Amino acid sequence: MGEFISETCRKKLIGIVTGVGAAYLLYKAIHPGLATPKDDGEDLLIDRYGNSTLDSIGALGDHNICSNSVKMNLQDLKTVLTILRESKDPVIRGAILTSIYRIPGLSSHQETFRSEGGISIVAESLDDPLNFIKTSAVMVFNVLSNDPVNRELLVKYIPQVLKLATSTFQEFEQLPCLRFLTKLSQSHQNHQMLRHVIPEFFHLLENGSSTIKFQVLQILINFSTNSLLTFDMLNMPVPVSFLFLFSYFQRQDILNDLLLLIGNLKEIQRSLPYRARKHEYCEDSIFVLLFGPNSQFPSRLVYLMAFPDDGIKLQAARFVCDPDKEIQSTQVRGHATRGLMEGDQDGLWCLLPLPRETVSSAVVHHCTSSKGYFCKHCLFLSHNCWN
């Protein structure tokens, strides 16, 4: 299947990238006799369930032996990098990339890895036709990016990682890319390289799994602290179904980060520098959907004020009690109550399907925690809404 590698190199590779318990499995993976798939059309590196076949390497044997038996030295590192650079065999390349970031002590050998050209050698795998090889390279990048010096050197590979993240539908391929981009998006200097894919991130936020949603939110939250991206994000076209993300049944950490994201954007949108410039939002933008005159966002917030977690209640209450909100009233199915939104003094009605104690305790907590007194909005809501 691939180029010939001497038995000595094979044994050396086994000794370097695996422990005693996993050596047999890796040897079988590298052995040419195992290179032919059993079933026609079966991917050598991805099994029928969509899982990496190389992830099983190291699954057997004593893991304590495995972690303690690997001793990285300069010569071993050179050998691994040489084989990775010269081999065209995807099984061998995948085995090295999958195992290299698991080597104990790699984090303490970052400078050695850089000096031996390890970053550029691993980066060559980003051009491999197999997505699993690319993903494995990104996993190595994730380990290397913990070092500030490496992070600066890895910036130039953002476009290639972005391409992989937005071109695959496999979660196990997307996640390493999103984790890598999360780390690099912590610096505002890198935001310009990521700016053009903000629509794809919002698409993943709405349509991805819970794990993908959580990871994408980390990137978007980093973006939301950059005032240069505020208009881009608030003017992002989204379907009405975007509101379904703010569900009472949403995962708590996702819900918390969603409210944090919108809160960050709203905070910058209310700032004087932002308001000093005129901004026109498209009709299907996030801003109009959440803060426009006909928004149904407040109805979502009302339900969240009954959420079991106090942090979620607090964040929802901050939006409801926001004196600068553009929304004046809303309609929610339930029992008729008066008041909730500023401007309801004119007789507008809000249908609030929550008991008095739930809502009043949330807004009271908001006021007493953040300001130390009851604001007029909370007093109006707590004492005048229930007839």
Side-chain angles (χ1 to χ4, degrees), residues 93-234:
R93 294 173 61 81
I96 294 176
L97 289 169
T98 302
S99 302
I100 196 170
Y101 64 88
R102 298 175 180 172
I103 297 177
L106 176 61
S107 299
S108 60
H109 289 78
Q110 303 277 6
E111 186 174 350
T112 303
F113 196 89
R114 283 195 303 271
S115 64
E116 293 301 316
I119 292 180
S120 59
I121 292 174
V122 171
E124 292 175 4
S125 298
L126 294 175
D127 297 322
D128 196 279
L130 291 173
N131 276 1
F132 176 74
I133 301 295
K134 298 176 187 176
T135 304
S136 299
V138 176
M139 289 180 178
V140 177
F141 280 178
N142 275 323
V143 177
L144 298 176
S145 63
N146 292 326
D147 183 89
V149 178
N150 287 343
R151 204 174 298 138
E152 295 298 320
L153 299 175
L154 292 171
V155 168
K156 63 181 179 180
Y157 301 112
I158 287 179
Q160 290 170 278
V161 177
L162 274 175
K163 183 178 180 180
L164 175 59
T166 56
S167 63
T168 180
F169 298 100
Q170 299 289 343
E171 182 175 318
F172 71 90
E173 293 173 350
Q174 288 177 331
L175 269 178
C177 299
L178 294 175
R179 287 170 180 154
F180 174 74
L181 296 173
T182 297
K183 293 180 181 179
L184 269 65
S185 66
Q186 292 173 0
S187 171
H188 285 194
Q189 295 179 348
N190 300 331
H191 287 181
Q192 285 301 117
M193 300 181 68
L194 299 164
R195 189 173 195 165
H196 68 285
V197 290
I198 290 179
E200 280 79 4
F201 287 140
F202 274 101
H203 177 76
L204 289 174
L205 175 60
E206 187 174 3
N207 299 288
S209 67
S210 293
T211 306
I212 294 294
K213 282 181 170 65
F214 177 81
Q215 202 62 52
V216 169
L217 277 168
Q218 309 315 303
I219 300 175
L220 293 177
I221 288 173
N222 288 339
F223 288 169
S224 69
T225 62
N226 187 346
S227 60
L228 297 178
L229 299 183
T230 302
F231 178 73
D232 288 358
M233 298 181 73
L234 287 176

Side-chain angles (χ1 to χ4, degrees), residues 189-364:
Q189 295 179 348
N190 300 331
H191 287 181
Q192 285 301 117
M193 300 181 68
L194 299 164
R195 189 173 195 165
H196 68 285
V197 290
I198 290 179
E200 280 79 4
F201 287 140
F202 274 101
H203 177 76
L204 289 174
L205 175 60
E206 187 174 3
N207 299 288
S209 67
S210 293
T211 306
I212 294 294
K213 282 181 170 65
F214 177 81
Q215 202 62 52
V216 169
L217 277 168
Q218 309 315 303
I219 300 175
L220 293 177
I221 288 173
N222 288 339
F223 288 169
S224 69
T225 62
N226 187 346
S227 60
L228 297 178
L229 299 183
T230 302
F231 178 73
D232 288 358
M233 298 181 73
L234 287 176
N235 198 41
M236 184 61 54
V238 291
V240 177
S241 59
F242 183 80
L243 286 175
F244 295 159
L245 290 171
F246 299 88
S247 168
Y248 181 89
F249 303 101
Q250 182 67 269
R251 215 172 77 179
Q252 180 176 319
D253 54 350
I254 294 176
L255 197 53
N256 182 77
D257 286 348
L258 278 167
L259 293 171
L260 177 61
L261 169 65
I262 302 303
N264 287 349
L265 293 173
K266 184 62 176 172
E267 191 68 25
I268 295 179
Q269 185 269 332
R270 290 166 52 182
S271 66
L272 290 178
Y274 187 89
R275 290 189 171 185
R277 307 178 69 177
K278 185 177 181 180
H279 299 92
E280 295 184 1
Y281 302 96
C282 60
E283 293 183 359
D284 57 350
S285 66
I286 288 179
F287 181 83
V288 173
L289 181 66
L290 299 183
F291 305 111
N294 299 313
S295 174
Q296 296 300 310
F297 185 45
S299 68
R300 292 281 167 177
L301 296 174
V302 168
Y303 283 103
L304 297 183
M305 291 171 73
F307 199 81
D309 179 69
D310 287 341
I312 302 297
K313 291 179 182 177
L314 175 59
Q315 292 195 68
R318 283 173 174 165
F319 282 106
V320 170
C321 302
D322 181 4
D324 294 329
K325 69 168 59 65
E326 288 79 359
I327 308 169
Q328 299 301 313
S329 63
T330 186
Q331 291 283 324
V332 189
R333 293 183 180 180
H335 302 293
T337 59
R338 188 182 291 274
L340 190 60
M341 296 296 173
E342 183 181 19
D344 276 359
Q345 294 88 337
D346 297 329
L348 297 175
W349 288 84
C350 175
L351 304 180
L352 186 64
L354 297 172
R356 171 177 178 171
E357 294 76 12
T358 301
V359 179
S360 60
S361 63
V363 293
V364 167

Side-chain angles (χ1 to χ4, degrees), residues 53-118:
T53 56
L54 292 178
D55 278 348
S56 61
I57 295 175
L60 301 179
D62 190 333
H63 291 280
N64 293 326
I65 295 176
C66 195
S67 62
N68 294 329
S69 63
V70 181
K71 301 295 183 182
M72 174 181 282
N73 56 49
L74 182 59
Q75 187 56 46
D76 290 338
L77 180 60
K78 286 182 177 180
T79 301
V80 169
L81 293 177
T82 298
I83 296 175
L84 179 61
R85 182 179 60 246
E86 296 179 355
S87 175
K88 304 301 181 185
D89 190 327
V91 176
I92 294 177
R93 294 173 61 81
I96 294 176
L97 289 169
T98 302
S99 302
I100 196 170
Y101 64 88
R102 298 175 180 172
I103 297 177
L106 176 61
S107 299
S108 60
H109 289 78
Q110 303 277 6
E111 186 174 350
T112 303
F113 196 89
R114 283 195 303 271
S115 64
E116 293 301 316

